[in-house]
Amino acid sequence: MASSSFHKYMFGMDPNRKVAGNEVPELDNQKFDEYVLDNANLTTRNGSEWFIKFYAPWCGHCRNFAPDFKQFFNTHKGKLNIAKLDCTQQRHKAVCE
């Protein structure tokens, strides 16, 4: 059974399904510090709310959630700050741990 067929069989969804709309913005350490976290006060910058997906590209659950997260982003962009951050990248280690 192919991987996507297995996911569809087990979870009722295809991780390769396409969802219309813009891609979710990707954060890195610099953007995270610049836009999200105010280190001096340990709060979000300007008190803004964020919904961030910390993920690993190889993770089955993360892959299955990706189309839904993209749809969530396209539905709520402009009302809520939404982004994703790949925690498998060594350069993101400080943020992900």
Side-chain angles (χ1 to χ4, degrees):
M1 187 178 283
S3 178
S4 65
S5 298
F6 175 76
H7 282 281
K8 195 170 187 178
Y9 171 76
M10 290 298 293
F11 306 110
M13 63 184 77
D14 181 357
N16 299 316
R17 69 191 187 280
K18 302 295 181 202
V19 174
N22 297 327
E23 292 298 320
V24 179
E26 184 85 33
L27 290 174
D28 59 25
N29 283 356
Q30 181 180 352
K31 289 178 185 174
F32 188 85
D33 288 341
E34 183 178 343
Y35 298 115
V36 181
L37 184 62
D38 179 354
N39 284 316
N41 299 313
L42 294 180
T43 61
T44 57
R45 296 206 178 273
N46 303 321
S48 59
E49 297 175 336
W50 281 86
F51 192 96
I52 301 171
K53 175 185 171 187
F54 295 90
Y55 74 99
W58 51 261
C59 171
H61 298 293
C62 298
R63 290 184 59 221
N64 282 330
F65 182 55
D68 298 311
F69 192 65
K70 180 179 176 182
Q71 184 175 2
F72 176 79
F73 166 71
N74 283 287
T75 301
H76 298 286
K77 65 183 174 188
K79 303 173 210 159
L80 180 65
N81 297 303
I82 302 167
K84 61 185 180 179
L85 198 142
D86 180 353
C87 287
T88 64
Q89 300 293 317
Q90 185 64 27
R91 65 183 188 271
H92 301 158
K93 188 175 181 177
V95 173
C96 293
E97 289 186 341

